[in-house]
């Protein structure tokens, strides 16, 4: 997998998680634990994207 393909994949996953978070936050009673885990996943993806940009 090329670097560009990998970065695009990570960006797509990041966007998908953002969508899930937005939908969860709109629910009448959002699941705080689910939101916390989703936000951690989103942060890990963002950190990996930053690492990739710094290395290349």
């Amino acid at each position: 997998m090329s670097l560009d393909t990998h970065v695009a994949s990570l960006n797509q996953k990041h966007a998908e998680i953002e969508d899930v978070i937005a939908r969860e936050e709109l629910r009448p009673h959002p699941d705080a634990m689910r939101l916390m885990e989703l936000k951690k996943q989103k942060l890990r993806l963002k950190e990996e994207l930053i690492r990739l940009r710094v290395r290349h």
Side-chain angles (χ1 to χ4, degrees), residues 5 7-12 14 18 20 23-24 30-31 33-35 37-38 41-42 45 49-53 55-56:
T5 304
V7 168
S9 174
L10 292 174
N11 279 321
Q12 178 64 33
H14 189 271
E18 279 185 335
V20 174
R23 286 193 308 271
E24 183 67 30
D31 183 337
M33 294 300 289
R34 182 170 189 228
L35 281 171
E37 183 56 38
L38 288 165
Q41 289 176 18
K42 185 178 152 188
L45 287 171
L49 284 163
I50 290 169
R51 276 194 302 274
L52 290 172
R53 286 186 192 119
R55 282 192 355 208
H56 289 69

Side-chain angles (χ1 to χ4, degrees), residues 1 14-15 36:
M1 177 185 298
H14 189 271
M36 184 175 61

